[in-house]
Amino acid sequence: MGKDALLEVKNLKKHFSLGKERILKAVDGVSFQIKKGETFGIVGESGCGKSTAGRTIIGLYDRTEGEVIYEGENVHKMTGKERFAFQRKMQMIFQDPYASLNPRSTVREIISEPMEVHGLYPDKKERLERIYQLLEDVGLNRDHANRYPHEFSGGQRQRIGIARALSLDPEFIIADEPISALDVSVQAQVVNLLKDLQRKKGLTFLFIAHDLSMVKHISDRIGVMYLGNLVEQTASTNLYKNPLHPYTQALLSAIPIPDPDVEDRRERMILKGELPSPINPPSGCVFKTRCPLAMDACQTVKPEWQEAEADHFVACHLYNKDTDGRQKYSQAMGIK
Ligand code: SF4
């Protein structure tokens, strides 16, 4: 484990048995580390396994294989008091703020519940003050405490979900598509709120999303996920400047550039076909059925996860120094 890593995920797999020997390989061998205070983004299409990865990391799902190490301790081996203490340290914000809030509870009850379970702020007055403070921290106010979730807009409901996640004073937050159910106009506000809270409270984030354009604003590093596998990982700025994997290049080329001249001139890389089923994933490279640069080796050999340049990892034969991949890539892209 790297000496600064707060969380280390090692070859994590989460498979679901569907009976009759059918196995859904939602997460199929994912590894990464997250340093204290940073935001690591996981991005990929819906169905790529990113949410399952988040839920397995926090322990909502048991893992099939691999390890999740938090502050040196194996999350899936924790029991009793150790597990209970870990729940305070790592919290989750969910995608659908409406579904994740009990419609019959007031905001005060929703935020209070985790504190009651963990025996925090036993004095009722102090707990209420804490709830008011949390509401203010997320841009709401104390008058909101006695209202019900349906009385709020989508953005406000997500703020309540964030206040609930913060109620135990966690160190680490897994934000599972926290903005994708919100109007575009509200998405940036919630992202800015999360950035603000991170700065003030020293939080570490795993930010899961399908939209690369928003992930870039919050993440220090990004991992790109495809069909249960990480295919590329590097610093956020580098991923945008120098994407290596054909899948990342296709995702980036779908983002509009707010300059009409550049937008008119640039070439798009359109992804063809659907994401294959994780029940029967392709052999060799998982991206081969949609990759415009697939070559013979891609049909049968799974590309290794390798460091193509400093702190820039990719799983693609094009970057394997032992094959003619780079040459073929350069030819295909017209690079001399
Ligand atoms: Fe495309 Fe082959 Fe690279 Fe997979 S390994 S992304 S199929 S070139």
Side-chain angles (χ1 to χ4, degrees):
M1 183 154 168
K3 67 176 171 19
D4 313 333
L6 181 61
L7 175 85
E8 183 172 21
V9 176
K10 290 200 254 183
N11 191 31
L12 186 67
K13 294 188 183 179
K14 179 62 196 172
H15 296 174
F16 296 95
S17 172
L18 303 180
K20 292 193 181 159
E21 297 180 11
R22 292 171 77 228
I23 294 173
L24 188 150
K25 296 180 177 174
V27 181
D28 203 26
V30 161
S31 301
F32 58 87
Q33 297 186 351
I34 305 183
K35 286 183 242 154
K36 189 167 169 44
E38 81 168 338
T39 297
F40 184 79
I42 294 188
V43 73
E45 286 164 284
S46 125
C48 73
K50 55 193 188 304
S51 291
T52 304
R55 284 162 190 245
T56 311
I57 288 166
I58 203 170
L60 285 176
Y61 295 146
D62 200 3
R63 84 268 190 242
T64 304
E65 221 180 290
E67 287 180 341
V68 177
I69 310 291
Y70 187 82
E71 288 181 316
E73 301 297 325
N74 189 324
V75 168
H76 294 101
K77 290 194 175 154
M78 291 175 182
T79 52
K81 279 188 186 159
E82 202 185 2
R83 174 100 211 133
F84 196 62
F86 169 72
Q87 285 167 355
R88 271 193 67 181
K89 294 181 183 174
M90 191 183 280
Q91 285 288 305
M92 195 147 181
I93 301 169
F94 294 93
Q95 175 180 4
D96 183 345
Y98 199 60
S100 66
L101 303 175
N102 184 346
R104 288 189 204 88
S105 297
T106 61
V107 169
R108 179 174 55 76
E109 288 162 344
I110 288 168
I111 300 175
S112 175
E113 193 194 353
M115 292 192 271
E116 282 171 40
V117 171
H118 283 264
L120 300 182
Y121 300 94
D123 180 272
K124 280 192 179 163
K125 244 182 164 179
E126 278 182 29
R127 188 179 297 159
L128 192 58
E129 276 312 312
R130 167 82 176 149
I131 291 166
Y132 290 155
Q133 182 59 52
L134 285 163
L135 286 172
E136 279 167 23
D137 287 349
V138 299
L140 297 171
N141 63 58
R142 55 178 60 207
D143 296 338
H144 291 128
N146 289 319
R147 300 201 198 156
Y148 290 86
H150 74 265
E151 298 177 67
F152 295 90
S153 68
Q156 286 175 318
R157 284 199 288 263
Q158 193 53 289
R159 287 171 193 267
I160 298 165
I162 294 169
R164 179 180 55 185
L166 293 175
S167 66
L168 297 178
D169 223 356
E171 305 165 340
F172 191 106
I173 290 197
I174 298 183
D176 182 12
E177 300 228 41
I179 52 169
S180 48
L182 305 177
D183 287 349
V184 175
S185 58
V186 184
Q187 289 184 349
Q189 291 170 15
V190 173
V191 165
N192 288 338
L193 170 66
L194 291 172
K195 278 170 93 170
D196 222 37
L197 290 168
Q198 178 173 41
R199 211 178 43 247
K200 286 186 191 146
K201 296 180 183 285
L203 295 165
T204 306
F205 276 116
L206 172 59
F207 191 92
I208 298 168
H210 66 264
D211 178 354
L212 252 175
S213 59
M214 203 49 89
V215 172
K216 142 174 148 182
H217 291 298
I218 192 161
S219 306
D220 300 298
R221 289 184 302 126
I222 296 178
V224 180
M225 206 165 160
Y226 186 84
L227 212 61
N229 293 259
L230 274 182
V231 295
E232 183 162 4
Q233 180 193 301
T234 188
S236 170
T237 42
N238 195 37
L239 191 79
Y240 283 82
K241 269 197 257 152
N242 184 27
L244 297 180
H245 197 282
Y247 179 59
T248 315
Q249 291 166 354
L251 286 183
L252 280 169
S253 89
I255 299 176
I257 295 176
D259 177 334
D261 290 338
V262 181
E263 181 66 20
D264 280 353
R265 274 186 278 113
R266 75 186 180 129
E267 283 188 25
R268 286 194 188 282
M269 187 169 165
I270 311 283
L271 265 186
K272 296 201 180 93
E274 299 290 319
L275 189 71
S277 165
I279 295 174
N280 197 7
S283 58
C285 173
V286 284
F287 189 55
K288 72 179 185 191
T289 54
R290 300 166 82 190
C291 181
L293 304 173
M295 45 193 166
D296 288 348
C298 313
Q299 305 306 321
T300 49
V301 184
K302 186 166 180 168
E304 276 176 34
W305 185 242
Q306 55 188 323
E307 194 167 15
E309 52 183 38
D311 290 326
H312 194 162
F313 296 84
V314 65
C316 172
H317 290 307
L318 294 170
Y319 303 95
N320 186 340
K321 295 172 187 77
D322 300 332
T323 70
D324 65 348
R326 271 185 186 276
Q327 200 188 342
K328 176 153 184 173
Y329 176 71
S330 304
Q331 282 165 0
M333 302 304 280
I335 303 166
K336 295 215 171 112

